[in-house]
């Protein structure tokens, strides 16, 4: 008798090969005749290339080819941007290798292909490039001022686009200007979202083999299906002649959701030399030239009545695109537009975003992608409102949040939140945190004038995830749909192969999908094999980002399983000589209702394989596929509470305790959920305290190593106390919601609110992230 798999804390099937060194990283791939590519990158952020001399490099030992932008200009095309957020959006050509102008430090200007990686890198030193420097544009506010130097002369402006949502114009709410004018309390703040680097564990690596009937590309990517299509469209190669494989991928966090210059360059170089070519970036290349995240200036205004009821919210955003537009660069701030209202009933709202070009590497999706920025702003504002009114910050939130009995609830942005219970999550978090006890301790420390003060930070959040509804994406001018595809193959032995279009990079698909299929089909967990990441075996998919794998990809698996059962029911009824309506299917077995006669789904699979006695007109196959396109996003939520101690003499911050209670709907595997929450918390706390990509006045990244770009280790983080409440989603049959980005979205404002709360009585109401000891100390002074 099988037992339910969903809800079991199964250890991941993937981990055995990961922890024993039997992984299939792209850099492990060795092919007959494999050669290596190295990239010469611009040391300057903005300049014209006046000459490139490659003759000495070509003469180096082992060198097969040296290619420049001029060599590849006719065939490289322009890297794709799939999201034209406005009809008049400015889109510069985005070459994979610069032809005449470089626009950020680290842009490719030449490549060397050689027998070994060492020979390729050595030959880079023999390439002589002359640059004619141009003005460097780095500051967003200066970039849009009259007379500012231009990143791209051909565009005539540094503004990429202006995107506006106004609830009064949309008919979803009132006039925000009227609300602010009538507000009894008006809070205005300016917040900076610093530039961050995804900093995944495995550097990006690409291998291309041009020698077969198809060009085969292995890449450490989150998006093999999208990459295949974009390679075909960009380079003019028929799509069916390209095979893309994402083997084991060591993390992504949005940083591998891309069609990269390196992927195109390896493809082009392999085609030129007629041999398999590999490129694996160094860590410094990864930090400097992989896309970055965040980098926004937020001007936010909140109006409210004296009793703490919010009446209006206005957001004016500047968002740094960097020098070019990558796959979804201009749309990332727009994802946040629908989340500034968060869990609150806000009657009037206006959001405007100006996207700006600068001479920095492009920005794009980074864990949370627009939603952490929005959550940070509104949760900081809620604390500011509470301070202005002398109210408890939790009481202000509770006064304004959507109550559990009000779901489904349509927000001021027009989104419909299907389910939630903010009260339950908050009550549980307060209990685990000892909220009232810590408030007492805080008062006592202030009364004593302690050097080390205690602050309590709150973040109550929701997010729109399961990035999917194709009609919604279409209404936002996104260049693709959001559906997901899956197939189930029933083998004659009763074993099961699941093919998923969702491509994992650490999420545990092989385990979670096995659990789901085991429950759906009533087969043992061990009898399910999950295949993914290869466009030849998994021919359709929209890949992995936006916390969509479970809420979209796994539902496609469920629907494919339903089709398998429907096909098997017809054949089982024939085998058992009864009507289909007379059969019950439970735990993998069809039983004639009211009798003990039955047959297992494995027996049906074997009968289908033999095909000796099938009903007339029934094909000998149980294999089924399904494509799922949800009608709505999913909306996980939670309450995060942080207690931070701040040394007022040194500015040092220590997180004393951190409690989060998340509601992610039905949980398939608690171990995987816990891992996702812990990882997300680490990244969100890192934004609050440690991480920042910094450029000097010349546009050179000065945080280009892990000695300078500070990632927290386990020793820098507290032990987390986590728990869950559960309100199942009503928009999918499993009741699941996303979890991959929740921790990152919620934790940053919780930590910053705690720090500011610790020193607010000293006159501090904001500290720019990351809240380093120097910045905290300076704010106190």
């Amino acid at each position: 008798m099988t037992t339910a798999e969903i809800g079991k804390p199964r250890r991941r099937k993937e981990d055995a090969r990961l922890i024993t060194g039997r992984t299939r990283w792209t850099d492990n791939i060795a092919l007959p005749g494999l050669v290596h590519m190295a990239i010469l990158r611009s040391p300057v952020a903005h300049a014209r290339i006046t000459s490139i001399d490659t003759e000495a490099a070509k003469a180096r030992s082992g060198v097969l080819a040296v290619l420049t932008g001029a060599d590849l200009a006719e065939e490289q095309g322009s890297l794709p941007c799939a999201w034209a957020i406005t009809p008049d959006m400015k889109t510069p050509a985005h070459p994979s290798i610069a032809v005449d102008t470089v626009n950020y430090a680290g842009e490719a200007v030449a490549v060397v292909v050689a027998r070994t990686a060492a020979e390729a890198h050595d030959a880079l030193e023999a390439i002589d490039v002359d640059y004619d420097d141009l003005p460097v544009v780095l500051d967003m506010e200066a970039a849009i001022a009259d007379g500012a130097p231009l990143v791209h002369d051909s565009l005539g402006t540094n503004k990429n686009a202006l995107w506006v949502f106004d609830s009064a114009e949309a008919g979803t709410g009132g006039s925000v200007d009227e609300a602010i004018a009538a507000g009894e309390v008006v809070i205005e703040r300016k917040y900076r979202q610093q530039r961050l680097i995804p900093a995944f564990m495995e550097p990006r690596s690409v291998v291309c083999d041009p020698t077969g009937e198809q060009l085969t590309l292995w890449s450490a990517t989150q998006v093999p299906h999208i990459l295949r299509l974009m390679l075909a469209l960009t380079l003019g190669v028929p799509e069916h002649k390209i095979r893309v494989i994402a083997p084991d991928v060591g993390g992504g966090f949005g940083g591998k959701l891309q069609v990269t210059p390196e992927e195109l360059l390896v493809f082009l170089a392999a085609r030129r030399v007629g041999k398999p070519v590999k490129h694996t970036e160094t860590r410094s290349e990864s930090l400097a030239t992989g896309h970055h995240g965040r980098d926004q200036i937020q001007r936010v205004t909140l109006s409210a009545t004296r009793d703490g009821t919010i009446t209006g919210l206005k957001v004016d955003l500047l968002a740094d695109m960097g020098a070019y537009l990558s796959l979804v660069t201009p749309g990332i701030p727009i994802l946040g537009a629908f989340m500034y209202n968060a869990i609150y009933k806000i009657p009037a709202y206006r959001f405007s975003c100006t996207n700006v070009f600068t001479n920095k590497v492009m920005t794009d999706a980074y864990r949370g992608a627009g939603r952490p920025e929005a959550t940070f702003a509104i949760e900081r504002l809620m604390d500011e409102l509470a301070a202005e009114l002398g109210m408890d910050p939790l009481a202000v939130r509770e006064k304004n949040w959507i109550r559990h009995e009000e779901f489904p609830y349509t927000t001021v942005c027009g989104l419909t939140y299907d389910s939630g219970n903010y009260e339950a999550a908050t009550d549980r978090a307060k209990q685990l945190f000892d909220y009232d006890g810590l408030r007492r301790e805080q008062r006592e420390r202030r009364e004593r004038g302690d050097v080390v003060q205690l602050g309590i930070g709150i973040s109550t959040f929701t997010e729109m995830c399961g990035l999917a509804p194709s009609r919604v994406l279409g209404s936002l001018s996104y260049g693709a749909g959001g559906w997901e595809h899956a197939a189930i193959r029933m083998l004659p032995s009763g074993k099961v192969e699941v093919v998923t279009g969702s491509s994992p990079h650490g999420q545990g698909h092989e385990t979670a999908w096995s659990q789901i299929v085991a429950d759906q089909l009533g087969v043992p967990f061990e009898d399910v094999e999950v295949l993914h990441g290869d466009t030849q075996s998994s021919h359709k998919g929209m890949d992995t980002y936006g916390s969509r794998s479970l809420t979209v990809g796994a539902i496609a698996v469920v629907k494919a399983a339903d089709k398998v059962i429907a096909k098997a029911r017809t054949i089982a009824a024939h085998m058992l000589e009864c009507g289909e309506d007379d059969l019950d299917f439970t735990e993998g077995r069809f039983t004639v209702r009211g009798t003990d006669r039955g047959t297992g789904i494995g027996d049906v699979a074997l009968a289908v394989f033999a095909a000796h006695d099938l009903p007339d007109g029934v094909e000998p196959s149980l294999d089924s596929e399904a494509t799922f396109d949800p009608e709505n996003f999913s909306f996980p939520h939670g309450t995060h509470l942080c207690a931070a101690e701040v040394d007022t003499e040194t500015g040092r911050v220590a997180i004393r305790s951190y409690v989060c209670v998340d509601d992610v709907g039905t949980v398939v595997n608690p171990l995987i959920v816990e891992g996702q929450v812990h990882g997300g918390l680490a990244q969100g706390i890192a934004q609050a305290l440690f991480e920042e990509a910094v450029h000097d006045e010349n546009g050179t990244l000065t945080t280009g190593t892990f000695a300078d770009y500070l990632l927290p280790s386990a020793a820098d983080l507290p032990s987390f106390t986590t728990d869950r409440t559960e309100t199942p989603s009503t928009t999918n049959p499993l009741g699941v919601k996303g979890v991959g980005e929740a921790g990152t979205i919620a934790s940053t404002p919780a930590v910053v609110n705690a720090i500011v709360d610790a020193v607010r009585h000293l006159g501090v109401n904001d500290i720019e992230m990351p809240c380093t000891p120097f910045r905290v100390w300076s704010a106190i002074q």
Side-chain angles (χ1 to χ4, degrees), residues 25-81:
W25 308 122
T26 304
D27 192 41
N28 294 151
I29 292 167
L31 302 172
L34 181 71
V35 296
H36 298 264
M37 188 184 87
I39 300 175
L40 183 69
R41 299 185 180 278
S42 169
V44 296
H46 200 198
R48 290 190 182 90
I49 301 170
T50 56
S51 68
I52 302 181
D53 185 349
T54 61
E55 292 307 311
K58 290 175 180 175
R60 287 288 182 102
S61 172
V63 172
L64 301 178
V66 181
L67 302 170
T68 67
D71 297 323
L72 298 171
E74 297 303 315
E75 58 187 292
Q76 69 167 319
S78 179
L79 285 159
C81 174

Side-chain angles (χ1 to χ4, degrees), residues 4-37:
E5 281 290 338
I6 290 179
K8 269 190 183 179
R10 282 275 191 185
R11 292 189 177 184
R12 302 194 318 169
K13 287 183 173 183
E14 300 89 331
D15 289 346
R17 69 173 185 272
L18 292 171
I19 63 178
T20 56
R22 293 182 288 110
T23 46
R24 299 184 297 269
W25 308 122
T26 304
D27 192 41
N28 294 151
I29 292 167
L31 302 172
L34 181 71
V35 296
H36 298 264
M37 188 184 87

Side-chain angles (χ1 to χ4, degrees), residues 143-377:
I144 59 173
D146 291 342
L150 299 177
V151 177
H152 301 284
D153 287 340
S154 61
L155 300 183
T157 178
N158 288 323
K159 292 182 182 179
N160 158 250
L162 171 66
W163 192 92
V164 177
F165 176 87
D166 190 311
S167 63
E169 293 178 4
T172 56
S175 165
V176 77
D177 291 334
E178 291 177 6
I180 291 170
E184 296 172 359
V185 179
V186 177
I187 309 287
E188 295 183 64
R189 294 290 185 269
K190 176 182 175 182
Y191 298 128
R192 175 68 192 242
Q193 291 283 324
Q194 76 269 40
R195 181 171 275 245
L196 301 176
I197 303 175
F200 30 72
M201 186 176 290
E202 176 208 18
R204 296 172 303 162
S205 182
V206 190
V207 175
C208 183
D209 183 1
T211 61
E213 289 297 311
Q214 290 177 303
L215 284 145
T216 302
L217 188 90
W218 291 262
S219 181
T221 180
Q222 296 175 221
V223 288
H225 298 90
I226 293 172
L227 175 56
R228 180 196 193 197
L229 174 61
M230 293 303 178
L231 284 171
L233 295 177
T234 302
L235 301 178
V237 179
E239 187 181 359
H240 67 290
K241 291 297 184 182
I242 302 172
R243 178 185 182 187
V244 173
I245 302 170
D248 288 322
V249 177
F253 314 120
K256 292 174 183 170
L257 190 177
Q258 205 50 267
V259 179
T260 69
E262 293 79 8
E263 285 161 336
L264 267 69
L265 288 172
V266 168
F267 193 105
L268 293 168
R271 205 163 59 174
R272 279 291 181 104
V273 301
K275 296 176 180 291
V277 173
K278 177 189 289 186
H279 171 74
T280 301
E281 66 186 4
T282 65
R283 181 59 69 184
S284 290
E285 282 183 296
S286 178
L287 294 174
T289 68
H291 78 244
H292 293 173
R294 313 283 194 261
D295 206 350
Q296 299 177 2
I297 297 171
Q298 302 167 310
R299 289 185 175 83
V300 287
T301 306
L302 182 79
S303 61
T305 59
R306 272 281 155 200
D307 69 353
T309 302
I310 300 171
T311 59
L313 175 65
K314 184 177 181 181
V315 178
D316 290 308
L317 203 64
L318 284 182
D320 193 336
M321 303 290 95
Y324 297 108
L325 303 179
S326 287
L327 203 57
V328 289
T329 300
I332 296 303
I334 308 311
L335 285 175
F338 301 95
M339 284 287 104
Y340 280 86
N341 53 289
I343 68 171
Y344 305 114
K345 293 179 284 191
I346 298 178
Y349 171 62
R350 187 178 189 275
F351 170 95
S352 69
C353 176
T354 301
N355 287 345
V356 183
F357 290 115
T358 63
N359 289 118
K360 290 179 269 188
V361 75
M362 34 293 165
T363 56
D364 208 297
Y366 173 57
R367 197 170 191 170
R371 281 82 43 90
E373 298 92 310
T375 301
F376 180 87

Side-chain angles (χ1 to χ4, degrees), residues 453-457 642-646 653-657 751 754-755 758:
Q453 288 290 312
L454 178 66
I456 296 170
C642 174
E645 295 182 324
V646 178
V653 175
I655 296 178
R656 180 165 132 186
S657 64
V751 174
I755 297 166

